């Protein structure tokens, strides 16, 4: 006999079955054999956010651009000074 059960998937990935009459399948992912995945998932997630790398690269790019622009202006000022000096 085929029975259809409604399953609810929780945010942590575990499932609960509604209307499990005899308990067959009610020991699914939340059994004692499996470790608590919530704690291990939090440990894996720890690290540096990629957005920080992006922000740092933007700051470095802007600093390099400003440095090159200032160097260019300095060279232009020196060449004009030498041109008008003679």
């Amino acid at each position: 006999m085929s029975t259809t059960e409604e399953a609810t998937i929780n945010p942590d990935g575990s499932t609960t079955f509604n209307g499990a009459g005899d308990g067959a399948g009610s020991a699914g992912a939340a059994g004692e054999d499996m470790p608590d995945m919530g704690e291990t998932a939090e440990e894996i997630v720890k690290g540096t956010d990629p957005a920080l790398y992006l922000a740092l690269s933007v700051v470095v790019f802007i600093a390099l651009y400003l440095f090159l622009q200032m160097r260019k202006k300095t060279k232009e000022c020196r060449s004009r000074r030498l041109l008008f000096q003679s």
Side-chain angles (χ1 to χ4, degrees):
M1 181 170 131
S2 174
T3 60
T4 305
E5 298 179 12
E6 185 176 323
T8 304
I9 300 175
N10 299 324
D12 63 350
S14 64
T15 57
T16 55
F17 295 94
N18 295 336
D22 59 353
S26 63
E32 293 180 18
D33 296 337
M34 296 186 68
D36 185 18
M37 295 304 289
E39 293 175 8
T40 57
E42 289 176 2
E43 292 172 2
I44 293 171
V45 172
K46 291 181 182 176
T48 306
D49 190 14
L52 294 177
Y53 290 121
L54 178 64
L56 183 63
S57 63
V58 167
V59 168
V60 168
F61 177 75
I62 290 172
L64 183 64
Y65 177 78
L66 291 174
F67 172 74
L68 292 175
Q69 288 296 326
M70 289 174 54
R71 195 171 96 179
K72 181 180 172 184
K73 282 190 174 191
T74 306
K75 284 184 179 181
E76 287 177 2
C77 287
R78 286 183 186 164
S79 67
R80 285 185 183 177
R81 227 182 287 152
L82 290 174
L83 180 67
F84 290 117
Q85 213 174 34
S86 10

